[in-house]
């Protein structure tokens, strides 16, 4: 049975799985570029979190609590923004399936290696088997959606996906001990404000210099942007950070592989796509890997 922390991380993965269908709808409806939509998403998330902190009279306390941990706060925020921007670039240059498989498959493998180097011993057989099963499942799920258009610069796109996976993995690695030092609202607000600050220059500043639009008058597209900011960023990261209090970063990264499973199921349910036998098998393997995490999860030691 999944522990509470792992269950929260899984729920975050499910929410992230709705990004895939939502971003194209937001881009198509608004006429804005994906990087601009990503920057507006970050701005919405930071604004909503700041409003929530202010509404409960904790704005100053949030600053007081986060300030002593500013290095980790900045690191998590920058890594989160870097992951998002590089992943968008990877999708544009390598295609959705390849970018997803490379990025999300590399993150747990990287953390497994990092953990082994830090502990100066080979990874435990159970942990290695879990990562292998999860990555194989991810490959099968990604292959199930490989009929989509390929990217224009696949080699550079794969490199961007690898970098995005590293940023995602290290954001969880740095965020895990921070989540046990700060309450969820403080940590989520502080790190998302930093992330928004990183996302804005590239997502809004660059288009402005090029004379491209950075806002839209279409209300439907704003609905999608608000959803992406509030649900898939503010709420999802709050769930992740809460889950990281009792779940290791490597375990959390594997559990978040529910993201592509959710995206595939949504595509089948609402976009008329068909799930191949490989996709079914891949989804089952990911769920089995997460189930083994639930059996092996234990509360991490304070850091």
């Amino acid at each position: 049975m999944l522990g509470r922390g792992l269950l929260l991380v899984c729920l975050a993965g499910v929410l992230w799985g709705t990004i895939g269908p939502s971003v194209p709808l937001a881009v198509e409806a608004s006429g804005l570029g994906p990087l601009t939509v990503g920057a507006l998403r970050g701005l919405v998330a930071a604004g909503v979190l700041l409003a929530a902190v202010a509404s409960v009279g904790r704005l100053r306390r949030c600053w007081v609590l986060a300030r002593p941990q500013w290095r980790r706060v900045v690191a998590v925020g920058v890594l989160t923004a870097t992951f998002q921007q590089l992943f968008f670039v990877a999708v544009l240059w390598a295609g959705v399936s390849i970018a997803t498989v490379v990025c999300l498959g590399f993150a747990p493998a990287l953390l497994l290696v990092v953990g082994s180097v830090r502990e100066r011993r080979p990874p435990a057989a159970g942990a290695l088997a879990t990562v292998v099963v999860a990555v194989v499942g991810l490959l099968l799920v990604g292959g199930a959606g490989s009929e989509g258009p390929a990217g224009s610069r696949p080699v550079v796109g794969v490199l961007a996906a690898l970098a995005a996976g590293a940023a995602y993995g290290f954001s969880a690695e740095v965020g895990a001990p921070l989540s046990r030092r700060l309450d969820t609202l403080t940590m989520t607000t502080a790190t998302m404000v930093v992330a928004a600050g990183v996302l804005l220059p590239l997502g809004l500043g660059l288009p402005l210099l090029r004379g491209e639009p950075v806002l839209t008058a279409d209300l439907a597209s704003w609905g999608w942007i608000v959803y992406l900011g509030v649900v898939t960023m503010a709420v999802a990261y709050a769930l992740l950070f809460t889950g990281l209090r009792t779940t290791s970063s490597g375990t959390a990264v594997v559990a978040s592989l529910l993201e592509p499973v959710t995206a595939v199921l949504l595509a089948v349910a609402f976009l008329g796509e068909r799930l191949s036998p490989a996709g079914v098998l891949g989804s089952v393997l990911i769920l089995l890997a997460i189930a083994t995490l639930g059996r092996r999860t234990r509360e991490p030691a304070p850091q």
Side-chain angles (χ1 to χ4, degrees):
M1 183 176 182
L2 300 183
R4 178 176 179 272
L6 185 56
L7 190 61
L8 292 176
V9 175
C10 289
L11 183 55
V14 170
L15 294 182
W16 286 327
T18 66
I19 295 174
S22 301
V23 169
L25 291 172
V27 170
E28 182 179 355
S30 65
L32 303 176
L35 295 181
T36 300
V37 170
L40 293 174
R41 172 196 180 209
L43 189 61
V44 168
V48 167
L49 287 165
L50 285 171
V53 170
S55 68
V56 294
R58 293 191 54 191
L59 195 57
R60 177 175 175 77
R61 179 168 175 77
C62 180
W63 166 259
V64 171
L65 291 173
R67 185 175 180 181
Q69 307 292 334
W70 71 269
R71 289 181 178 85
R72 283 188 178 270
V73 168
V74 170
V76 173
V78 170
L79 286 168
T80 298
T82 301
F83 156 62
Q84 293 184 33
Q85 293 286 37
L86 286 174
F87 185 71
F88 278 147
V89 170
V91 167
L92 291 173
W93 287 349
V96 175
S97 296
I98 292 176
T100 300
V101 168
V102 172
C103 174
L104 296 183
F106 182 59
L110 176 64
L111 290 189
L112 191 67
V113 172
V114 169
S116 297
V117 171
R118 183 172 54 224
E119 297 175 6
R120 298 182 180 179
R121 62 181 182 182
L128 180 59
T130 295
V131 170
V132 170
V133 170
V135 172
V136 170
L138 178 63
L139 288 168
L140 291 171
V141 171
S146 61
E147 295 82 2
S152 58
R153 303 173 66 183
V155 175
V156 182
V158 167
L159 293 176
L162 288 171
Y168 173 51
F170 284 128
S171 70
E173 181 77 2
V174 177
L178 183 61
S179 68
R180 294 186 281 276
R181 299 173 186 174
L182 299 176
D183 64 90
T184 297
L185 185 58
T186 296
M187 181 176 176
T188 308
T189 302
T191 55
M192 292 305 104
V193 167
V194 173
V198 176
L199 291 168
L200 288 176
L202 185 59
L204 299 184
L206 191 59
L208 284 173
L209 290 176
R210 294 177 174 177
E212 299 172 356
V214 295
L215 295 174
T216 176
D218 182 72
L219 293 180
S221 60
W222 276 111
W224 286 114
I225 292 170
V226 169
Y227 171 81
L228 287 167
V230 174
V231 177
T232 71
M233 197 164 182
V235 175
Y237 274 95
L239 292 169
L240 172 66
F241 294 148
T242 304
L244 281 173
R245 292 181 180 178
T246 55
T247 305
S248 70
S249 56
T251 296
V253 167
V254 173
S256 64
L257 291 182
L258 274 176
E259 174 184 347
V261 174
T262 303
V264 167
L265 292 178
L266 287 175
V268 171
F270 298 105
L271 301 181
E273 296 187 10
R274 293 184 178 181
L275 186 58
S276 69
V280 173
L281 177 59
S283 300
V284 170
L285 288 177
I286 290 175
L287 293 175
L288 286 175
I290 293 172
T292 66
L293 292 176
R295 295 181 63 184
R296 295 189 292 107
T297 297
R298 62 180 180 180
E299 186 169 344
Q303 301 182 38

